[in-house]
Structures are given as structure tokens and as C-alpha cells.
Amino acid sequence: MTTPPRSQRARRGPRSLGRLLQRTRMLAVGLLAFALVTASAVLGAPAAFADDYPSWSDVQAAQASESAKQAEITTITNLIADLQAKAVAAQALVEQRTAEDDAAQAALAAGQSKADSLAASAASWQAKADTSSRQAALIAAQLARSGGGNNITSLLLGGNSSQQSDLLSQLSSMGKLTQTVTDIYNQAKLDSNEAASVSAQAQVAKDALAGLAAAAQAALQAAAAAQQAMIAALNEQTAHEAELQAQLTSLQQNLATTQQQYQAGVAARAAAAAAAAAAAAAAARGGGGISVGPVGADAQALAEELMGDVADGNFHGSSPDHIFEIAWIAQGKSVPNCGIDVVILQAMVTAVRAFGSAGVSDISRRCTGQIEGAGTASAHYRNGGGHAVDFTSVGGMVLNGSNNASIALIRTLDPMMPYGSDVGQQNCRNSAGTSISMNNLSGFSDTCDHLHIDDF
């Protein structure tokens, strides 16, 4: 299997089961996303939305008079507009908080670099001053030894002309050496002063780091909170807007729709869409879930296939559930910080095709606002998020990084991953006495309750 460079985005190509199947699968995606638990419950973020949406009984009661119907139409229209406005505002706030976080992190990095550079410069100046001082001291010591054994006065008064000439020559040389020593000492003093000045600047820069670090941490927390609020807003919109639109249609067209009729319609459409999506997923797997076959590089098509696997019961998330990240890509939505790299989508599709089913936990922690564990250094968070996935099971077998199912998944994914990508749980394999030869993946230590894959 040939995997394109991770930066490459494949061109749209024809769907194997035609446009009708594509529309049906997209309907399945929408219905599945509708049924997802909202992020406010998953992540523990506070929900800031009304819980008094009109019931179908309210809608039926409003049909009794024109004024009541118009009032209910206004209420529902306002609720739909409010959901949409909150989602738009939440996304705008995420973009603002993300920019502020980026600026704060950049300021901290620049401050750290400045403090480190000044500290290194101060050390360099001090080393230069120390070297000059030692050099001057050595020359002075040699000068003292060379003149200490002669009685200069007696030689000048009583010595012969040759001795006097030699002595004057020595004194002249000693004078030059004395000047050299003085110059070196002066330079050492200048260097020492410069070292002290730069050291003081380095201390100021170092003291400023605490404030920069606090600002960066606050910005990070604010960005994470905004991200969680946005996810809650989008899921709130998904969970209610479709029903509100149906209620609005019922009022505007004078349809005596009941809640049971609405739910029956939803269920019927979901069943038909799920069946079509399951058929598409089975066709993509070659029918038997054994032969992987070529895996495309169209992110939306890959996400659609995975959502088909969700409908088929062959692909699932855990807690917190990151499946909605895949659902949005399948729907063609661009949600801030919620992209998934095509290589990771390929890895998930490959796992389901090869083993018939798969379970995952973390994908993009930046999307869900999770800064746990390794924090922003986590492969699930850095570089925009979506460059890693934690597999919890394949083929109904739980993964721990060292068991047969884990080894089989590593062997399946190794050929398709970019060279230098990472696979976790090396410590688990070492403890179990399991070794595996890999061409593209490099192992690292991680907890023994899943199998981590990233494409860094």
C-alpha cells in the first residue's frame, strides 16, 4: 500500500457506489452526529443553553389559533437563530483565544530565548575577563622573576659598559611588558564590567519569565475553555436544530405532526441510511474485513467510511468520545482546531478493514480542549492536533500494546505510516518479552491500556 506524503490532499474522485449512496451516507452521518452526546456532558464543560425547547405538544396546541401559531413560529425561529448565533460566536471566540494563546506562547518562548542568550553572553564575557586576568598575572610573575636577582643600581653605577647596555635593554623590554600587563588588566576589567552588565540584563529577563509563563498558562486555559464551549455549542445546535426545523415546518404548513410521528420518521431514515452506510463500509473492506486493499487519501471520503462503520457497529469511541471530530469531516465541516490528519484517518480505516472492527479513544485533544497528560506536548495536541490516535481494540480484542492483537495491528500499520512515525507501549512489549521489527514506526513508552499511533 502506498501512502502519499502527509501534506498531500487527494483530489475528489468518483464514489464507488455512486452519488445516491454518497447522499445516503451523508444522511447517516448527520443522523449519527445528531445522536452524539453533547460535548458539555462528555467534557464536563458547563452548558449555557436553554433547556425549555418547545415540545411537540406545544406545537400541536399552537395550531388552535392563528395568533398562538404565529407566536410559536416566532419562538422557534428565534431559538434556531439563537443556536446558530451561539455557534458562530463560539467559533469566533475560539479563533480569538487561539490567537491570544499563540501570541502568549510565542512571547514565553522569545522571553526564554532572550534570557538564555543573555545568560550565555554573560558567562562568555566573564570567561574572557578571567582568561585576561590569568594571562596578565602570569606575565607579571615572569617579569618579577626576571628582575629579582639583579642589583640594578650597582650594575648601572659599577658595571662595565657591556653590562650596562644589556641591563638597559632588559629594562626597555620590561617596560614594554609592564605596559602589556597593564593593557591586559584594563581589558580584563572592561570585560568583567561587561559581564556584570549583561548578567544584570539576564536576571531581568529571567525574572520576567515568571510573568510570561503565567500569562501563557492563562491563555492556554482560556483557549481550552473556549474550545470546549464551542464544541458544546455545535453539539447543542446539532441536537436541537433539526427538530426545531421540523416543528417550524409543521406550523408553517399546518401539519398535525406528533412527536411519535417525528421520531418514527427519524428512526426510519436512520435505519435506511445506516443500512446503506454499512453496505458501503463492507464494500470498502472487500466484504470480509480481511483484505485491506488500497486506502485513498481523500479526508472526507475516509471520514464517511468511518461513519459508515459507526452505523454498522464496527467502529466506536470511548470517553471522551472523539467520533464527532470524524463526523464533522465527513459532513465537510471545517471546525476550528478539529481537523484530523489524513494519515491518521487512513490508519483508522485500515484497522477496521483489516480486523472488521476497531475502537479508539483520543484523537485530537486540541479539538476537545484536553490539556491532560503530556499537555500541549502530547502528539494528540501539538501541530494543530489530529496527528495521533489511541486504539483501544481491534476485532473485538482489547489492546494493551503487547498482546497478539496489538502486535498484529502494529504489523498492519507499519508499512503505511510515514517513516519516523511513533507507536507507543514499547515498555509494555519489553516487560512482556515481546519484540517486533518495524520499518517506519519507532517505539516509545506509554500506558499499557491502548496502542498509540502518531505520524510525527
Side-chain angles (χ1 to χ4, degrees):
M1 183 189 329
T2 301
T3 302
R6 66 191 73 179
S7 60
Q8 179 177 327
R9 292 288 182 265
R11 300 180 179 87
R12 287 278 186 268
R15 300 289 183 264
S16 59
L17 299 182
R19 291 186 177 276
L20 178 60
L21 179 57
Q22 178 182 3
R23 294 194 192 99
T24 308
R25 291 172 67 188
M26 289 305 294
L27 175 59
V29 168
L31 293 169
L32 287 164
F34 176 87
L36 288 172
V37 178
T38 62
S40 59
V42 171
L43 300 174
F49 305 100
D51 57 2
D52 55 350
Y53 291 98
S55 67
W56 283 98
S57 296
D58 295 332
V59 172
Q60 285 183 305
Q63 301 275 15
S65 71
E66 187 63 25
S67 61
K69 182 171 71 174
Q70 290 303 319
E72 195 69 16
I73 287 175
T74 300
T75 297
I76 293 175
T77 301
N78 289 340
L79 281 171
I80 292 173
D82 186 53
L83 285 172
Q84 294 171 344
K86 284 177 177 176
V88 170
Q91 291 187 67
L93 182 60
V94 162
E95 292 175 358
Q96 177 187 338
R97 292 288 183 260
T98 298
E100 291 170 354
D101 180 37
D102 290 343
Q105 302 301 331
L108 176 59
Q112 185 66 62
S113 177
K114 180 180 179 181
D116 292 343
S117 177
L118 286 170
S121 180
S124 177
W125 280 110
Q126 189 59 54
K128 185 178 179 182
D130 292 343
T131 299
S132 297
S133 296
R134 285 194 298 270
Q135 183 181 9
L138 287 172
I139 295 174
Q142 291 174 354
L143 182 63
R145 285 195 299 271
S146 64
N150 296 314
N151 186 332
I152 296 176
T153 303
S154 63
L155 285 173
L156 286 174
L157 295 177
N160 59 40
S161 60
S162 177
Q163 290 175 325
Q164 291 174 350
S165 177
D166 291 341
L167 178 59
L168 290 173
S169 177
Q170 291 179 30
L171 289 175
S172 176
S173 298
M174 291 170 64
K176 293 177 182 178
L177 286 174
T178 301
Q179 184 60 46
T180 298
V181 171
T182 301
D183 291 344
I184 293 175
Y185 269 126
N186 288 338
Q187 186 60 52
K189 186 176 181 180
L190 291 174
D191 293 343
S192 182
N193 290 339
E194 185 67 20
S197 174
V198 176
S199 181
Q201 296 175 52
Q203 187 59 48
V204 170
K206 182 178 179 181
D207 293 341
L209 285 178
L212 290 172
Q217 183 62 26
L220 176 62
Q221 296 289 349
Q227 187 73 26
Q228 293 177 3
M230 181 196 69
I231 298 300
L234 290 175
N235 279 331
E236 181 82 2
Q237 181 185 27
T238 298
H240 293 284
E241 188 172 3
E243 185 170 12
L244 288 170
Q245 290 285 5
Q247 291 173 339
L248 185 61
T249 299
S250 177
L251 288 167
Q252 291 172 333
Q253 298 180 8
N254 292 317
L255 301 174
T257 308
T258 66
Q259 183 176 10
Q260 289 74 21
Q261 289 172 327
Y262 170 75
Q263 294 295 347
V266 170
R269 290 191 298 272
R285 292 195 302 267
I290 298 174
S291 175
V292 173
V295 178
D298 184 316
Q300 185 171 358
L302 292 167
E304 288 173 6
E305 180 175 336
L306 287 169
M307 292 310 298
D309 292 326
V310 171
D312 195 25
N314 290 328
F315 187 65
H316 60 86
S318 59
S319 180
D321 196 336
H322 289 251
I323 297 298
F324 63 83
E325 298 169 8
I326 302 172
W328 285 335
I329 296 173
Q331 295 171 43
K333 288 185 178 180
S334 178
V335 179
N337 301 319
C338 288
I340 301 176
D341 192 70
V342 67
V343 174
I344 298 303
L345 289 169
Q346 289 173 323
M348 291 187 284
V349 166
T350 298
V352 177
R353 289 189 188 179
F355 297 93
S357 67
V360 298
S361 51
D362 283 343
I363 303 177
S364 176
R365 289 184 184 174
R366 184 180 286 267
C367 180
T368 52
Q370 295 170 257
I371 46 177
E372 61 198 33
T376 58
S378 168
H380 295 282
Y381 193 98
R382 57 193 174 100
N383 282 29
H387 288 272
V389 58
D390 287 347
F391 287 97
T392 56
S393 67
V394 290
M397 296 173 285
V398 174
L399 302 178
N400 62 11
S402 64
N403 59 2
N404 290 337
S406 300
I407 299 303
L409 180 57
I410 293 172
R411 285 178 174 152
T412 300
L413 296 180
D414 182 52
M416 61 153 289
M417 296 300 293
Y419 179 77
S421 298
D422 293 320
V423 58
Q425 290 66 44
Q426 182 62 52
N427 53 312
C428 310
R429 291 187 289 280
N430 291 342
S431 298
T434 302
S435 63
I436 178 172
S437 176
M438 297 177 286
N439 294 321
N440 295 324
L441 293 169
S442 299
F444 71 97
S445 296
D446 201 355
T447 55
C448 304
D449 56 2
H450 64 281
L451 184 70
H452 171 102
I453 295 285
D454 66 59
D455 61 9
F456 284 121

